[in-house]
């Protein structure tokens, strides 16, 4: 913020950019990893609320938890090794990135209410902006979830 005093510009110290809140966790695929990832996401949202004064809509919080669950479940099922969850957020959005060891890019199937299973990525795309990229150790799937009204 900048105050003006008789035409003079006085920096107040509040105009310094603030880094997003970031957290990461490594999972081995042991039972309970998906629940642990959801717990991390819930704690992350609590921190955004307290440290960033974020006003998080309940539907946005639910969407974030579902996105985390789906992406971690996919990494657990389709990779042969550990995976990493990264969360990065501000008062307006959270980016969920999951790195896993599989180089195979996820397939998004067309809508089919008669299909049993394989709806995870379809759900994630409905709730978030999704990008996928190959990285040296496999791939990174990133979903950006807005925290306002959907």
């Amino acid at each position: 913020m900048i105050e003006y005093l008789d035409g003079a510009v006085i920096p107040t110290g509040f105009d310094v950019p603030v880094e997003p809140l970031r957290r990461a966790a490594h999972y081995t695929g042991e039972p309970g990893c998906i629940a642990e990832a959801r717990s991390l996401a819930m704690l992350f949202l609590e921190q955004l609320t307290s440290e960033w004064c974020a006003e998080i809509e309940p539907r946005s919080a639910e969407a974030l938890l579902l996105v985390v669950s789906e992406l971690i479940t996919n990494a657990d099922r389709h990779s042969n090794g550990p995976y990493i969850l990264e969360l990065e957020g501000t008062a307006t959005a959270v980016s969920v990135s999951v790195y896993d060891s599989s180089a195979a890019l996820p397939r998004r199937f067309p809508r089919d209410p008669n299909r049993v299973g394989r709806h995870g990525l379809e759900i994630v795309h409905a709730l978030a902006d999704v990008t996928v990229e190959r990285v040296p150790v496999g791939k990174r799937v990133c979903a950006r979830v807005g925290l306002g009204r959907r």
Side-chain angles (χ1 to χ4, degrees):
M1 177 177 277
I2 297 176
E3 292 183 20
Y4 296 92
L5 183 63
D6 296 330
V9 177
I10 303 169
T12 62
F14 294 110
D15 51 348
V16 177
V18 178
E19 291 291 319
L21 181 64
R22 292 183 180 98
R23 295 291 176 265
H26 174 268
Y27 300 99
T28 60
E30 295 293 318
C33 287
I34 298 163
E36 287 177 28
R38 285 178 60 90
S39 293
L40 177 68
M42 286 188 288
L43 290 172
F44 187 81
L45 288 174
E46 289 174 12
Q47 274 191 287
L48 275 179
T49 302
S50 63
E51 295 176 20
W52 274 80
C53 300
E55 294 180 14
I56 302 169
E57 297 290 326
R59 288 186 66 164
S60 297
E62 291 167 4
L64 179 72
L65 295 177
L66 184 53
V67 165
V68 167
S69 293
E70 291 296 338
L71 293 183
I72 291 294
T73 297
N74 285 350
D76 192 62
R77 286 186 180 162
H78 302 293
S79 70
N80 294 324
Y83 38 92
I84 297 169
L85 168 66
E86 287 183 346
L87 301 169
E88 180 178 294
T90 64
T92 58
V94 173
S95 291
V96 178
S97 295
V98 176
Y99 296 82
D100 69 43
S101 60
S102 172
L105 299 180
R107 291 181 53 202
R108 182 177 170 199
F109 295 97
R111 285 184 158 187
D112 181 358
N114 296 320
R115 183 179 66 243
V116 176
R118 303 233 180 237
H119 292 281
L121 203 53
E122 182 181 333
I123 292 167
V124 172
H125 274 273
L127 298 172
D129 296 323
V130 181
T131 58
V132 179
E133 66 180 336
R134 284 193 170 94
V135 294
V137 295
K139 70 175 166 296
R140 172 183 177 245
V141 179
C142 181
R144 185 171 171 82
V145 179
L147 297 179
R149 296 194 186 278
R150 291 190 72 75

